[in-house]
Every structure is written in structure tokens, then in C-alpha cells.
Amino acid sequence: MRILVLGSGAREHAIIRALLAEDADHDITAAPGNAGIADDVRTIGIDPNDGVAVAGYAEAHGVELVVVGPEAPLVAGVSDAVRERGIPVFGPSKAAAKLEGSKAFAKRIMEAAGVPTGRAEVAGTLDEARETIDRFGAPYVVKANGLAAGKGVLVTDDRDAALEHARQWLEHGTVLIEEFLAGREVSLFLLSDGEHVLPLSPAQDYKRLLDGDEGPNTGGMGAYSPVPWLEENFVDEVIKTIALPTIRAMAEEQTPFIGLLYCGLIVTDAGPRVIEFNARFGDPETQVVLPRLVTPLSGLLYAAATGELGGVPRPEFALDVAVGVVLASEGYPEAPVTGRAILGMDAASAVPEVQLLHAATDIAAIATDATSSWSTETLVTSGGRVLTVVALGSTFDEARERAYEAIGKLTIEGGQFRTDIAAAVAPAAH
Ligand code: AMP
Ligand code: GLY
């Protein structure tokens, strides 16, 4: 199949690897991709947020399926532009992507659909925020009401910090004050064609920068899949109480959701509660979910994009477990240092069952040692999250050991990674 993948992260690299693993003959193009993606498939310099350019390219080149990775093209209406030309696209319309882009819209849909979530109120002024914060009580949850690149959420016991966060984000719009939900977090991805849903395997993400869930929130520092501490009926319960009601409410709003419904959940004593929806695959969860997928990915994405998910059986997953550890640049998430050499790629990728999925990597002409291959010696960092090192194993210990053995062979000056990814997956931990 001729497929165009939009995006440039390790998530898109994982999508492309899954497509190639299913059929090496797929004709895949990535826009813009990165250095690792360019090693696997054709990459082009089209701006993924430019709907006219993307749709024009897809039409001119006979693309049969467009897969949108990140949220920015969705919010910019790129899916609409592609769909208008009659080309199947996996990714919701601009209107449906508000499920991620506007937390207030998401709350309204959840309310309409009766979806279990934390109580929340929108505040437009500091007085309103203060009044709501005091009424809700500690721990305080204050969220920017819009896309905030992972920085908009503060969970704290410190009332002054909560008020300061509200004050800062009120300069950019409204804020949401939310009820604190206690429990463990899990991500569940569901493919949707606007009417039906099919679940992928659950994953857990590690959002904080440092071991022990300390430090600032990030885009995600690691993940594992499956999630053995979940109850057996967890996926069915999420489908019944959360995913299907949401998809139905979106259809009723005349904004059918076609693409990936990412349910960010907290498993409370009373059952799963939504903390956020995203309108796309999660990063880094995708890097641990897709390597375990046995069912061909292209067929699933195409069926969702063309409204044909109804008769499709649930995707199957290998019994193997996957652990992914993100290697990030010095200064991430505040001010990542770029242009640093990435060394040890060959040695790291030689560790059994390991994949090095590229995110912020680029090829640069830096001084090289003539005895090494170009792909190690000229690879440099170009942003915050540089690589996701993913390992499969038959147990979490085995997958963890492989992932950390591989990451130990990689060197980036000032590079950062967590050492506790998938260290505590047993039911009692966390
Ligand atoms: P979000 O960007 O909405 O996913 O929030 C970022 C992180 O803040 C989440 O991954 C949770 O760890 C935490 N969080 C968000 N909302 C809540 C809540 N209502 N209760 C407890 N923790 C929350
Ligand atoms: N892993 C969190 C996200 O993709 O938003």
C-alpha cells in the first residue's frame, strides 16, 4: 500500500516499523521524518501542518492512506484537507480533534456521554480560579485549557503554587480546576471509524523526568506494555463506559471521530476515570504497543479511515512484553541542548530484541573517526527526546535488562534517562 505518515518522532518511527514488519513492500513516505526514519523509508520536506501541501502531495503521488502522527496537523485541519480529496486518512477532523485541543470541549463531551471523569470547572479570572481552588481543596489540579505541550498541568498540595500556575496560564486563556483522582495511570488506545472502536493493548507511560516520578512533567520518559496489574475486564469496561459513549457523543455533535482515541485514565477504587483524551497515538506508549501487535497495522488503520471497522476482529498482540526507555537531551524539557553527537548506535542495536526508534535526530557533518560507519558518527541530537530504546522480552525483567543494556551502550553528552522504567509493574507497586 502507498502510505504517507506525517510526523517526525519515535512514535512515527514505531508506526513505520510496524508497517514495514507487516509488509516490507509497502511504499511508505514520511513527512518530514527524521534521520532514523530516513534510514527506513523515503522522507520529504513537506510541512506536515500544511493541509494544502499534504493533500496535494498525496493526490499527486497516488497515496492510498495518510496516517497523522502528532496533534498539530490535526488541530490545523490537515485531515480535513486530505479527506476532501477523497483520500483515506487516519486522523480526526479539526473539529473532532478538539477532544484533545480543548479540555473544556472534552469535558462537555464526557458530560454529554456520561463518561466517568474528575469533576472540573473552567475559570476565566484569577478570582474565579481562587474560589474554585479553595472549594475543591487539596491536592490541587490546575490545567491550561488548550494545547500546552505537556506543560499546562500542575498537581500540587501547595495552594500558592496552584494559584501562580492559574495566574500564568490565565494570560493565555482560561484554566480548568479539576478534582484530584487517586490511583494508577494507564493509557488505552482505541481505533475508531466514527462509529465502532477496537482496542489496542494497554500501556503505562512515565510522564515525570526523574526516577520515582520526581521532577517536571515531560512528553513521556518511558513506557511498558502490556499492563499486568489491570483487572481482566478493564479493556471491556473502558470500551463500554468510556470509548463507545464518547464516540457516539462525537457523532451526535456532528463531529465524528475517525482515528485514534487515546484514553488517559486513572484506575481508581471506583473504576477507570478519564484524565485526558488525546486524538492521536501516544508517545512513548506507541513504541511499546506496536512492536507487540500481531494483526497487520495497515489493515486496521485503513478500515478505520474508510468506516469499515465494524466487522473487523479485535487486534491480536504477542505475549511478549515491551519496555521503552527514552533517551533525552541535556536540558530537556526546559531547554534541550541540540547538535550533540549520538555515539554507540551500532552496539546498542546489536542487543537482541532491541529497536532504536528515532525522534530528535539529524545527520550532521561533524568530525568523524574514519573507522566507524556514517550512521553512528554523524548522527546528532536535534531536540529534547532523542530516541526511544525499545526491547521485547518474555518477562519484564528480560525486556528491561535488554533495554538498559542497549541504552548503556549509547552516549550523548549530558543525555538523560530514567533508570526505573518498568521496575515496578507488579500489582502492589506504585
Ligand atoms: P494531563 O496532561 O491532563 O494528562 O495531566 C498530566 C498529568 O497530571 C497526568 O498524567 C496525571 O499524572 C496528572 N493529573 C492530571 N489530572 C489529574 C487528576 N484529576 N488527578 C490526579 N492527577 C492528575
Ligand atoms: N504519552 C503522553 C502523550 O502522548 O500525550
Side-chain angles (χ1 to χ4, degrees), residues 206 208-215 418-421 430:
Y206 291 73
R208 300 293 193 105
L209 180 69
L210 304 174
D211 283 6
D213 292 333
E214 302 285 341
R418 278 181 67 156
T419 67
D420 63 348
I421 304 302
H430 239 30

Side-chain angles (χ1 to χ4, degrees), residues 5-8 11-12 31-32 46-52 54 66-83 89-95 97 100 147 279-280:
V5 178
L6 303 184
S8 60
R11 161 183 53 206
E12 288 75 24
I46 285 180
D47 176 2
N49 300 320
D50 181 341
V52 174
V54 169
V66 176
V67 181
V68 185
E71 59 273 33
L74 300 171
V75 171
V78 172
S79 298
D80 307 76
V82 174
R83 214 167 268 131
V89 52
F90 184 82
S93 66
K94 178 178 177 152
E100 168 165 1
L147 289 181
R280 43 146 184 105

Side-chain angles (χ1 to χ4, degrees), residues 10 40 67 184 254 406:
D40 290 345
V67 181
R184 293 176 82 172
Q254 309 303 321

Side-chain angles (χ1 to χ4, degrees), residues 247-332:
I247 293 298
R248 287 194 193 115
M250 291 295 284
E252 275 162 27
E253 291 262 330
Q254 309 303 321
T255 54
F257 188 95
I258 299 164
L260 193 118
L261 178 66
Y262 167 134
C263 299
L265 306 162
I266 290 191
V267 185
T268 71
D269 290 342
R273 298 281 180 272
V274 175
I275 33 172
E276 65 166 348
F277 284 131
N278 292 317
R280 43 146 184 105
F281 281 103
D283 184 347
E285 295 97 315
T286 302
Q287 292 92 299
V288 292
V289 170
L290 293 187
R292 301 182 46 246
L293 178 66
V294 175
T295 310
L297 179 63
S298 67
L300 295 169
L301 301 182
Y302 191 82
T306 53
E308 300 288 336
L309 222 45
V312 179
R314 274 198 193 180
E316 285 178 42
F317 285 84
L319 292 178
D320 291 344
V321 305
V323 171
V325 182
V326 170
L327 180 53
S329 294
E330 179 177 354
Y332 178 74

Side-chain angles (χ1 to χ4, degrees), residues 53-294:
V54 169
Y57 178 91
E59 194 167 56
H61 292 82
V63 168
E64 294 158 278
L65 175 66
V66 176
V67 181
V68 185
E71 59 273 33
L74 300 171
V75 171
V78 172
S79 298
D80 307 76
V82 174
R83 214 167 268 131
E84 271 165 26
R85 310 235 183 158
I87 301 166
V89 52
F90 184 82
S93 66
K94 178 178 177 152
K98 274 175 76 183
L99 204 52
E100 168 165 1
S102 160
K103 289 189 189 289
F105 177 83
K107 282 286 179 191
R108 191 163 64 68
I109 289 290
M110 283 188 258
E111 211 164 284
V115 163
T117 182
R119 203 158 41 92
E121 286 179 27
V122 180
T125 65
L126 193 54
D127 281 342
E128 279 173 24
R130 185 181 302 109
E131 190 277 321
T132 315
I133 281 169
D134 288 338
R135 192 154 35 82
F136 277 41
Y140 308 104
V141 181
V142 182
K143 300 188 176 185
N145 184 23
L147 289 181
K151 292 183 190 162
V153 177
L154 183 71
V155 181
T156 181
D157 284 315
D158 179 343
R159 180 174 175 273
D160 289 342
L163 286 173
E164 174 54 21
H165 189 77
R167 192 195 58 73
Q168 266 179 33
W169 285 99
L170 281 166
E171 287 174 13
H172 306 279
T174 55
V175 296
L176 218 65
I177 314 298
E178 203 170 284
E179 172 191 2
F180 176 80
L181 297 167
R184 293 176 82 172
E185 263 182 88
V186 62
S187 306
L188 183 67
F189 300 163
L190 298 112
L191 308 164
S192 180
D193 63 359
E195 188 183 350
H196 312 93
V197 298
L198 282 182
L200 301 183
S201 186
Q204 190 177 14
D205 177 19
Y206 291 73
K207 288 212 168 91
R208 300 293 193 105
L209 180 69
L210 304 174
D211 283 6
D213 292 333
E214 302 285 341
N217 256 320
T218 70
M221 293 300 290
Y224 64 80
S225 175
V227 181
W229 49 265
L230 291 169
E231 306 270 344
E232 209 175 311
N233 67 350
F234 170 80
V235 169
D236 290 320
E237 192 178 349
V238 175
I239 290 175
K240 194 172 104 202
T241 64
I242 294 169
L244 275 178
T246 300
I247 293 298
R248 287 194 193 115
M250 291 295 284
E252 275 162 27
E253 291 262 330
Q254 309 303 321
T255 54
F257 188 95
I258 299 164
L260 193 118
L261 178 66
Y262 167 134
C263 299
L265 306 162
I266 290 191
V267 185
T268 71
D269 290 342
R273 298 281 180 272
V274 175
I275 33 172
E276 65 166 348
F277 284 131
N278 292 317
R280 43 146 184 105
F281 281 103
D283 184 347
E285 295 97 315
T286 302
Q287 292 92 299
V288 292
V289 170
L290 293 187
R292 301 182 46 246
L293 178 66
V294 175

